Amino acid sequence: MTTTRTTLAAAALTFSALSAQAADFTVTSHDIKEGQTLSTAQVFNGFGCSGQNRSPQLSWSGAPAGTKSFAVTVYDPDAPTGSGWWHWTVFNIPASVTSLPGGINAQGEGLPKGAIQGRTDFGSSSFGGACPPQGDKPHRYQFVVWALNTDKLPLDAQASGAMVGFMLNAASLGQARLTAHYGR
């Protein structure tokens, strides 16, 4: 009985420490705000939308101990596809990097050396802005910075959002999330 209590107490302390560490991991942006509506700068230009299709500036801090690299994903869980919509994946961001500038283009200008943009559900390896169907309720856009326990994911620019997501979940030490909305 004492061994079981000791094991449970140790597990509770570990969980508590991980929870506190995860709470310290945050993401902010000059371009988007938690719970607010995205501006036209982060709206897709196509599919009936007429935005600037510009990736937002992102900064993060408080990553968990042991972080060896970061990744960034932008995902719409409300897309009427049955599987959501991947708007952006960036991985193999060095652990020394704590921000990305806004306006990273399809050629990756603005990304740190070694970082890779994966293929989105728009079919390209670059940021794809919000563009929910006309008349749909506003969709949620989840901007997530992932702290990873590996230096690099064994993927290239053709990796789908689902594959990147699978690899991120397997290597995740923690996530920092910012959720914005957009409807039309």
Side-chain angles (χ1 to χ4, degrees):
M1 190 75 140
T2 303
T3 304
T4 303
R5 285 185 189 160
T6 303
T7 302
L8 288 174
L13 285 172
T14 301
F15 179 76
S16 177
L18 290 173
S19 295
Q21 194 173 42
D24 293 338
F25 188 28
T26 58
V27 60
T28 59
S29 175
H30 300 300
D31 300 323
I32 56 176
K33 302 295 179 219
E34 176 66 34
Q36 299 299 307
T37 300
L38 292 171
S39 74
T40 58
Q42 282 74 52
V43 172
F44 193 68
N45 189 14
F47 288 179
C49 291
S50 55
Q52 297 170 15
N53 204 43
R54 180 180 162 81
S55 68
Q57 179 279 334
L58 298 170
S59 297
W60 53 91
S61 62
T67 298
K68 294 183 179 178
S69 70
F70 294 103
V72 171
T73 59
V74 180
Y75 179 73
D76 171 4
D78 303 315
T81 63
S83 60
W85 192 273
W86 292 95
H87 287 264
W88 200 28
T89 62
V90 182
F91 51 93
N92 297 349
I93 300 169
S96 60
V97 173
T98 58
S99 66
L100 292 178
I104 294 172
N105 63 22
Q107 292 73 39
E109 292 173 24
L111 286 178
K113 183 177 172 73
I116 298 171
Q117 296 182 96
R119 189 170 37 84
T120 69
D121 286 336
F122 288 109
S124 65
S125 296
S126 61
F127 178 79
C131 187
Q134 183 76 39
D136 230 6
K137 67 176 180 155
H139 288 202
R140 294 170 290 160
Y141 295 89
Q142 300 169 339
F143 295 79
V144 180
V145 178
W146 300 73
L148 305 176
N149 66 8
T150 184
D151 293 331
K152 295 185 181 197
L153 297 180
L155 301 171
D156 63 20
Q158 291 306 307
S160 69
M163 178 57 81
V164 172
F166 174 81
M167 299 295 275
L168 293 177
N169 278 296
S172 179
L173 293 172
Q175 301 173 19
R177 181 181 309 255
L178 182 63
T179 303
H181 305 272
Y182 186 75
R184 61 187 186 108

